[in-house]
Amino acid sequence: MKNTISNEELAGLVEPARLHKRLYLDPDIFELEMERIWGQAWIFIGHESQVPATGDFFSTNITHKIPVVMIRDKEGQVHVLHNRCGHKGAKLVESRDGNVRGAFRCPYHGWSFRHDGTLLKIPNEKGYEGTGFDPSDSCNNMQPVAQVESYRGFVFATLSSTAPDLKTWLGGAVDCLDNLCDRAPEGEVEVAGGVLRYEHECNWKFILENLNDTMHPMVVHQSVVQAAEDYIASLPASAAKQRSEAEIIPPFGSSYEKFEDSGITGFPYGHHYDGGKTSIHADYTVLPAYHEAMVKAYGEERTREIYSFNTHNTLYYPSLTIKTAVQNIRVVRPIAVDRFVVETWSFRLKGAPEEMLQRTLLYSRLINSSAGMVGPDDLEVYRRAQEGLQSSASDWVEFHRQYGRDQQLPDRVIGGGTSDLDMRTQYKAWREYMTGEIAQ
Amino acid sequence: MTDLDIKAIEQFLYREASLLDQPDLDAWMQLFTEDGTYWMPAMENQPDPLNHISHIYDDRVMMEIRRRNFVHPRAASKEPAIRCSHLLGNIQAQGNTADGDLIVTSNFHVILWYREEQRCYAGTCEHHLVTAPSGFLIRHKRVNLINPDAAHKSLIIYL
């Protein structure tokens, strides 16, 4: 695409503790973000458990426009291919998921492709004889995405052939993916219970900023916290005790001190999490049957260690955010400068009682559903920012909270739980991706 | 089932719809039995509300929390006006549940006004109705959207 904005100009839009409103409003910047951030970072595609059998596929977009398909071949290998026919470019699959029996078959001229994307057959092929066309040339295949790697079943792909390997890119933030999987007695998770898709009429970065913004929950979610607390308190004790909602909703109203204690940790490439020693998910009841299965699998000490690493939200910048203690994830899919979709997926902890999955689904429904009582209030404030930032009153948005107090360790930055460290972490990465400081 | 019975069922469903149009969640909730539930699945033919994600699955406790949240002065997403217009049709009695509740299906079109935008929802409802001395009560209402798996915008009122 045409580069109308110089690197110098881009760098000037993000200062150490404030950023320019164009990041939310300018369609040209959005296009550059798709090319330089979403086109270079490792983007979460899906989980291997979504394609358990030969030919099973899941399709999505890796940037706002580029359609890809994740598919399992008969050797069990999972591929991420461009969802584009090697002939005229038509998408090979249209459904979000399904099974490709035998081979992909283009609905236009019937070209077929193996599950690994290689061209299998062209109808009436003799018309190509002597024309210089070489059907064995890989340019006629469904093209693989430049790099594809999986970590404990989580499949990431990048359009960049020079991006660092996935493990390097995940860095210390990998601890959270490990903790999510370790919470399964069998050490593995699988997608279960379907997906919620939630359309957001605002810039994609608002949700990333909100994840570890611990100064907002007690304000934005005050109404539902009060509604839940007041009403549940009025119920007979025996009835109130049985309500999982009583554990899930009220912690959103936790005090500034509680959030401060949870801490925030930032990493290279923009990843960050809040919590660790504690989080708003730390006081959930441990089901006896689950605890028993965990102790049987890991022993008492290791089980305690797994529980005790309790994070709230972990962002793998820019596409994936996970909740280890809840076992759900949200995936960000940008569409335009003022529109994106969030997908909420829930996970089953293999070897755990089914009640654990039911609690995860209850959480996803109460908190992350477009018809829930938490997500819509978050979206409302993002939209107000999207609209308010059009104002000519100021060009800048600040993030000074605890600026200058971030503690730089060899592989990470740590700070207080109500710090804007998460903002500084992700916008440092934004600047590096956008101006080419991260190797291309 | 006589024409009069069908008429009474229709009148009950229209009344329920008009309470949601206003919306008057306080009066609407009173139409449910104490063990009443409201369910909006997130996939077609969803077998159950607990082992698969749903948009909404509320019992009376959750309805009351939602009602209190709906009228709370600090709920920012409830500040813009919300107005609905329900249109019901194809109302059919479909027999009884194992517990003897009446099964009634209907088609609905809801036009919803929210945040300077007019939106359209459509689908089929399934009501399980109990005959009480005061008239009908709802034991279960299932709202099957025609697009349960679509990316939806914030929906902050029951349909």
Side-chain angles (χ1 to χ4, degrees):
Chain A
M1 75 162 272
K2 61 182 190 303
N3 179 8
T4 52
I5 310 174
S6 71
N7 285 346
E8 200 181 5
E9 191 179 352
L10 287 166
L13 299 176
V14 176
E15 296 179 356
R18 58 175 207 165
L19 56 86
H20 198 281
K21 68 177 186 180
R22 280 178 67 191
L23 269 75
Y24 307 99
L25 305 177
D26 187 336
D28 291 336
I29 292 203
F30 174 79
E31 289 294 333
L32 277 178
E33 288 173 340
M34 293 303 104
E35 183 185 305
R36 297 184 182 178
I37 302 177
W38 291 76
Q40 292 190 83
W42 285 92
I43 302 300
F44 178 69
I45 303 298
H47 192 269
E48 286 178 15
S49 60
Q50 290 172 254
V51 291
T54 302
D56 283 353
F57 72 85
F58 170 71
S59 73
T60 187
N61 284 358
I62 190 166
T63 70
H64 62 326
K65 284 180 184 160
I66 297 178
V68 296
V69 56
M70 172 172 83
I71 185 164
R72 189 181 292 271
D73 69 18
K74 63 177 189 296
E75 276 78 42
Q77 198 187 335
V78 174
H79 303 268
V80 179
L81 307 169
H82 284 273
N83 186 5
R84 179 205 188 277
C85 182
H87 179 213
K88 291 260 187 179
K91 283 165 72 179
L92 273 304
V93 296
E94 185 56 32
S95 308
R96 275 190 217 120
D97 50 44
N99 185 275
V100 171
R101 277 181 206 287
F104 288 102
R105 182 177 178 278
C106 183
Y108 199 173
H109 300 93
W111 286 33
S112 57
F113 302 87
R114 295 180 187 89
H115 292 154
D116 64 3
T118 53
L119 179 60
L120 179 65
K121 203 168 172 3
I122 298 174
N124 197 19
E125 201 172 353
K126 59 181 180 295
Y128 282 113
E129 284 168 14
T131 64
F133 174 84
D134 177 6
S136 67
D137 186 333
S138 65
C139 75
N140 299 308
N141 294 341
M142 285 175 75
Q143 297 297 311
V145 172
Q147 296 191 67
V148 180
E149 281 194 63
S150 169
Y151 186 80
R152 297 189 77 163
F154 290 78
V155 178
F156 292 79
T158 172
L159 294 167
S160 162
S161 53
T162 56
D165 65 90
L166 179 63
K167 196 76 196 294
T168 302
W169 180 85
L170 289 167
V174 78
D175 292 351
C176 298
L177 270 176
D178 280 331
N179 184 256
L180 170 59
C181 300
D182 290 345
R183 282 170 184 265
E186 293 174 17
E188 279 180 20
V189 296
E190 60 185 352
V191 165
V195 60
L196 282 176
R197 302 175 72 245
Y198 190 170
E199 183 177 332
H200 282 52
E201 305 101 323
C202 60
N203 189 269
W204 61 275
K205 295 186 290 299
F206 281 117
I207 192 169
L208 306 192
E209 292 180 11
N210 194 59
L211 296 168
N212 295 330
D213 173 343
T214 59
M215 293 298 293
H216 90 275
M218 62 294 281
V219 180
V220 174
H221 307 304
Q222 182 189 349
S223 64
V224 68
V225 167
Q226 278 181 359
E229 275 182 341
D230 292 353
Y231 185 55
I232 290 171
S234 76
L235 296 173
S238 56
K241 219 174 146 205
Q242 292 164 9
R243 305 297 302 201
S244 297
E245 293 89 344
E247 292 190 344
I248 292 174
I249 298 174
F252 282 86
S254 298
S255 66
Y256 295 115
E257 291 72 24
K258 164 107 184 167
F259 279 113
E260 179 64 23
D261 284 347
S262 70
I264 299 182
T265 306
F267 298 91
Y269 300 104
H271 316 319
H272 51 81
Y273 63 77
D274 70 312
K277 295 190 296 283
T278 186
S279 85
I280 64 167
H281 306 310
D283 296 332
Y284 291 176
T285 304
V286 179
L287 288 175
Y290 170 64
H291 184 62
E292 204 176 294
M294 286 291 282
V295 170
K296 204 171 158 203
Y298 294 107
E300 191 77 41
E301 195 187 331
R302 175 72 185 129
T303 297
R304 294 281 166 206
E305 196 177 281
I306 292 166
Y307 295 164
S308 70
F309 183 53
N310 201 296
T311 49
H312 171 215
N313 287 316
T314 304
L315 171 65
Y316 297 98
Y317 187 81
S319 68
L320 172 67
T321 173
I322 73 169
K323 282 184 176 292
T324 58
V326 174
Q327 295 99 48
N328 80 1
I329 65 169
R330 280 171 289 166
V331 184
V332 176
R333 304 289 187 204
I335 295 170
V337 68
D338 57 359
R339 201 151 77 94
F340 66 98
V341 168
V342 182
E343 299 169 355
T344 300
W345 298 88
S346 301
F347 285 84
R348 175 187 284 117
L349 299 171
K350 285 192 181 176
E354 280 301 286
E355 288 86 343
M356 293 297 287
L357 173 63
Q358 291 178 358
R359 186 170 70 183
T360 302
L361 291 167
L362 170 67
Y363 185 97
S364 299
R365 189 173 80 231
L366 286 178
I367 309 302
N368 303 130
S369 166
S370 54
M373 283 183 283
V374 169
D377 283 323
D378 285 320
L379 175 52
E380 174 65 21
V381 293
Y382 312 158
R383 290 194 68 179
R384 292 200 193 189
Q386 184 79 31
E387 291 161 16
L389 285 167
Q390 300 280 350
S391 164
S392 58
S394 169
D395 287 341
W396 296 92
V397 174
E398 70 82 29
F399 41 95
H400 284 81
R401 187 170 281 278
Q402 298 187 19
Y403 179 50
R405 295 178 227 165
D406 304 344
Q407 222 184 312
Q408 182 68 55
L409 303 180
D411 72 330
R412 63 191 66 195
V413 187
I414 57 170
T418 64
S419 166
D420 281 333
L421 184 157
D422 56 315
M423 290 287 286
R424 292 188 282 277
T425 297
Q426 64 192 295
Y427 283 104
K428 181 173 175 284
W430 187 94
R431 204 171 117 136
E432 290 167 350
Y433 275 118
M434 292 293 280
T435 63
E437 285 173 50
I438 285 177
Q440 295 180 30
Chain B
M1 183 164 290
T2 68
D3 286 355
L4 268 179
D5 294 332
I6 286 285
K7 199 84 194 156
I9 290 169
E10 285 175 356
Q11 288 301 311
F12 176 77
L13 295 187
Y14 294 155
R15 190 167 144 248
E16 189 221 337
S18 68
L19 290 173
L20 288 173
D21 279 347
Q22 296 177 28
D24 180 350
L25 293 184
D26 224 346
W28 175 77
M29 268 179 62
Q30 303 310 318
L31 300 180
F32 283 76
T33 59
E34 280 309 309
D35 62 351
T37 51
Y38 177 101
W39 183 23
M40 186 185 288
M43 69 176 281
E44 271 196 290
N45 306 313
Q46 187 172 321
D48 86 273
L50 297 179
N51 297 290
H52 188 285
I53 194 69
S54 302
H55 296 291
I56 304 177
Y57 180 61
D58 283 1
D59 62 4
R60 288 291 297 268
V61 169
M62 285 312 299
M63 285 180 205
E64 177 60 19
I65 293 173
R66 207 178 276 270
R67 183 195 71 74
R68 288 175 182 228
N69 185 41
F70 192 77
V71 296
H72 196 289
R74 288 273 170 88
S77 66
K78 317 306 186 275
E79 196 183 311
I82 301 153
R83 297 179 207 124
C84 296
S85 172
H86 285 66
L87 197 65
L88 304 187
N90 302 21
I91 297 170
Q92 296 177 70
Q94 305 279 12
N96 296 85
T97 67
D99 296 334
D101 297 344
L102 275 174
I103 303 171
V104 181
T105 59
S106 57
N107 282 12
F108 68 88
H109 290 179
V110 181
I111 305 291
L112 182 148
W113 171 251
Y114 177 60
R115 261 191 154 279
E116 303 298 309
E117 183 188 20
Q118 192 157 299
R119 292 190 213 156
C120 183
Y121 294 90
T124 305
C125 274
E126 184 174 313
H127 285 78
H128 296 177
L129 302 179
V130 182
T131 312
S134 56
F136 292 115
L137 287 173
I138 304 167
R139 175 108 63 199
H140 182 58
K141 177 176 178 179
R142 173 175 175 150
V143 179
N144 294 313
L145 297 170
I146 57 169
N147 56 348
D149 49 352
H152 284 280
K153 299 179 175 184
S154 292
L155 177 62
I156 57 183
I157 186 74
Y158 295 101
L159 296 180

